[in-house]
Amino acid sequence: MPVDATPEPIRFGQRVQILRTRRGMSRPVLAGLLGKSPSWLKQIETGQIQVPKLPTILRIAEALRVRDLADLTGDQSMAIELFIGPGHSSLPAVKAAIDTFPLVADRQAPSAQHLLHRLAKAWSARHTAPNHREVIGALLPALIRDAQLSVRQADTAVARRAAQATLAEVYFLAQFFCAYQPDSALLWRVAERGMVAAQDSEDPHAIGVAAWLAAQAHRDSGPAHFEAADMVVHEALRYLEPHLNAGPEPVLAISGALQHEAGYTAARRGDTATAWSWWDKASKAAKKLDPGYFHPITSFGPAIMGAHAVTIAVELRAGGESVRQAVRADRTAIPSRPRLARHRIEEARGYQLDGQPEVALDTLDRAHAAAPETIRYNGYARRIILEETEARSPERRQKASELAVKVGLLAA
C-alpha cells in the first residue's frame, strides 16, 4: 500500500520567487530595490546561498509588500504583520454599515446641510486626533447609513446628484479608515462604491478624489497594477482639465494631488525623470492655491509639497536627496497630525537609506508623538523598527525596542 509522502516545505528562496512573480516584479528590479545584484537574488531564490539575516529579510518583505512576515519566511513564529495594521475595534460596525443596504426606510434622512456638517467635523477630527481611526470609526456607521438613506429619498435629479456626492465623500472617509486593516476586500469594495457614487454625482471634485484613492489602491497592489494606477490618474486629469480655469480651489487641488500620484507611481517604477517631472507639475498647481490652503481629503496644498518631495526621493531609493528634501520640508508646518506622522515616517526611511539609522529612529519617535495610530499601521515604520532591534549598537537596539513596545510589535 502506498504511503502518503509528506510534502517538502517551501524554501525561503522559492517563497521570494513566488511572491516576486505574483507582484509582477522582475529579478533585476527587486535586486535593485534591495541594493543587490540580480545574480545574488538568483542565488537566494535557487537556494545556492543561505537565508539572509533579518535586516535583509525585512527589506525583501518591504519591497514585495509582504503583509505577514511568515508568508515570506514560512516560520509561523515570525507571524508579524508588516503592511497591515491591527484590526480596529470599530471595523465590524463599519463593515456592517458598508455591507448592509436596507430597502425599507422607517425614518426621514437628515438634511443635506446636516450631513455635510457632520462630514466636515469628521474630516477635522481625522486631522487633529492622534488616533483618528478611533474617532472616525465611531462616526462612520451612522454617516454611511444616513448618506445612503439620503440618496434613496432624494426627490429630484439635482438633489440625487448632490446626495451621491455626499455619499461618495463618506466612502472616501471610510477608505481612510479601512486602509491597512485586515480586510483588503472591504477596502476595494469601499473604493469601488466611492467611484460609482462619485460618477453618479457628476461632480468633478468627487470624481477626482475617487480616482485619487483608486490609484493608490492599484499602486499598493504591486507593480503588476502600476499601469492601472496610471490609467486612472491620466483619465481623471483629462476629465478635470476643462474645469480648471474657472474651477474652485478643491478642484484645482485634486488635480494637483493626482499629478503627485502619477509622480509617486513613476518613482515606484524607478523612473526618476518622470517622477520629478510630475512633482514639478503638482508644485505649480499648489502655487495657484491660497498659501494656507489644505485639501481636507488629500492633504494637498502648498504646505505638503516638501513632504511629497521626500516621498518621491525615498521611493527612488535616493538617500542623500531624501535627506536634503527632508531638511527643506521641515521649514513648513503640516496642519494634520496623521499626515505629519506619515511625513516623519518618510523622513525616517530617507535617513535610513542615507546610512543614518540613529536619526531614523529619532524621527520615528517624532512620528509616534504626532499620531501614534499612524505609525502602528505603517509597514515601513514597522520594518525599520524591527530591523534596528537587531542592530549591533546597544543604544540603537534599546531605542528600537522601546519603539517596538510603543507601536505594539513587542510586549512591554
Side-chain angles (χ1 to χ4, degrees), residues 175 188 191-192 195 209-219 228-229 232:
Q175 193 165 340
W188 273 106
E192 289 168 355
M195 177 62 82
V209 176
W212 180 78
L213 287 165
Q216 292 185 5
H218 281 299
R219 186 179 59 240
V232 170

Side-chain angles (χ1 to χ4, degrees), residues 93-107:
V94 173
K95 183 178 186 299
I98 292 168
D99 289 345
T100 304
F101 285 96
L103 298 177
V104 179
D106 55 2
R107 60 189 175 88

Side-chain angles (χ1 to χ4, degrees), residues 86 364 368 372-378 381-382 385-386 400-410:
L364 287 178
H368 186 271
E373 191 177 72
T374 297
I375 191 170
R376 283 202 298 270
Y377 282 80
N378 189 283
R382 293 155 76 89
I385 293 168
L386 283 172
S401 297
E402 290 171 357
L403 261 174
V405 171
K406 287 181 181 179
V407 303
L409 286 170
L410 295 176

Side-chain angles (χ1 to χ4, degrees), residues 14-73:
Q14 290 173 312
R15 289 174 181 272
V16 173
Q17 185 174 21
I18 290 168
L19 291 165
R20 174 177 61 77
T21 303
R22 285 179 183 172
R23 285 290 184 189
M25 192 179 292
S26 69
R27 189 174 285 152
V29 167
L30 177 57
L33 290 173
L34 300 172
K36 302 286 188 179
S37 67
S39 61
W40 175 88
L41 182 56
K42 181 178 180 179
Q43 291 178 78
I44 286 288
E45 292 184 345
T46 57
Q48 296 177 53
I49 57 179
Q50 294 181 342
V51 176
K53 293 183 179 180
L54 181 60
T56 302
I57 291 175
L58 288 167
R59 293 188 182 215
I60 294 172
E62 177 187 333
L64 293 174
R65 301 285 293 184
V66 174
R67 292 179 178 271
D68 191 329
L69 204 55
D71 293 340
L72 179 60
T73 65

Side-chain angles (χ1 to χ4, degrees), residues 33 219 226 230 260-276 278 308-317:
L33 290 173
R219 186 179 59 240
F226 286 178
D230 279 340
H260 166 66
E261 288 306 310
Y264 195 156
T265 305
R268 281 276 184 92
R269 282 197 182 95
D271 187 343
T272 300
T274 302
W276 285 115
W278 277 112
H308 282 338
V310 174
T311 296
I312 295 293
V314 167
E315 292 297 340
L316 289 168
R317 319 297 292 178

Side-chain angles (χ1 to χ4, degrees), residues 167-223:
L167 177 60
E169 191 170 334
V170 172
Y171 282 137
F172 301 156
L173 184 66
Q175 193 165 340
F176 277 93
F177 175 82
C178 295
Y180 308 114
Q181 295 217 49
D183 194 336
S184 56
L186 180 64
L187 178 67
W188 273 106
R189 200 147 62 247
V190 173
E192 289 168 355
R193 289 185 186 171
M195 177 62 82
V196 170
Q199 289 178 334
D200 286 345
S201 77
E202 300 180 15
D203 179 85
H205 176 255
I207 292 171
V209 176
W212 180 78
L213 287 165
Q216 292 185 5
H218 281 299
R219 186 179 59 240
D220 286 347
S221 298

Side-chain angles (χ1 to χ4, degrees), residues 233-363:
V233 168
H234 295 159
E235 185 65 24
L237 286 171
R238 282 194 293 270
Y239 166 77
L240 290 173
E241 190 172 358
H243 302 277
L244 297 181
N245 289 334
E249 281 195 306
V251 175
L252 298 176
I254 192 56
S255 179
L258 284 162
Q259 289 169 334
H260 166 66
E261 288 306 310
Y264 195 156
T265 305
R268 281 276 184 92
R269 282 197 182 95
D271 187 343
T272 300
T274 302
W276 285 115
S277 175
W278 277 112
W279 182 89
D280 285 338
K281 292 177 183 178
S283 183
K284 291 175 182 176
K287 290 175 182 175
K288 295 178 182 178
L289 301 168
D290 184 273
Y293 183 84
F294 188 80
H295 191 265
I297 302 177
T298 67
S299 297
F300 189 81
I304 208 68
M305 290 313 302
H308 282 338
V310 174
T311 296
I312 295 293
V314 167
E315 292 297 340
L316 289 168
R317 319 297 292 178
E321 182 62 21
S322 301
V323 170
R324 283 191 291 274
Q325 294 293 347
V327 172
R328 292 177 58 188
D330 263 3
R331 300 171 188 167
T332 307
I334 297 175
S336 166
R337 293 185 71 151
R339 188 61 187 85
L340 175 59
R342 160 81 188 283
H343 171 52
R344 297 294 182 220
I345 292 166
E346 297 293 275
E347 286 183 319
R349 294 175 67 196
Y351 282 116
Q352 196 185 51
L353 281 170
D354 197 47
Q356 301 184 55
E358 297 90 349
V359 183
L361 287 173
D362 287 339
T363 307

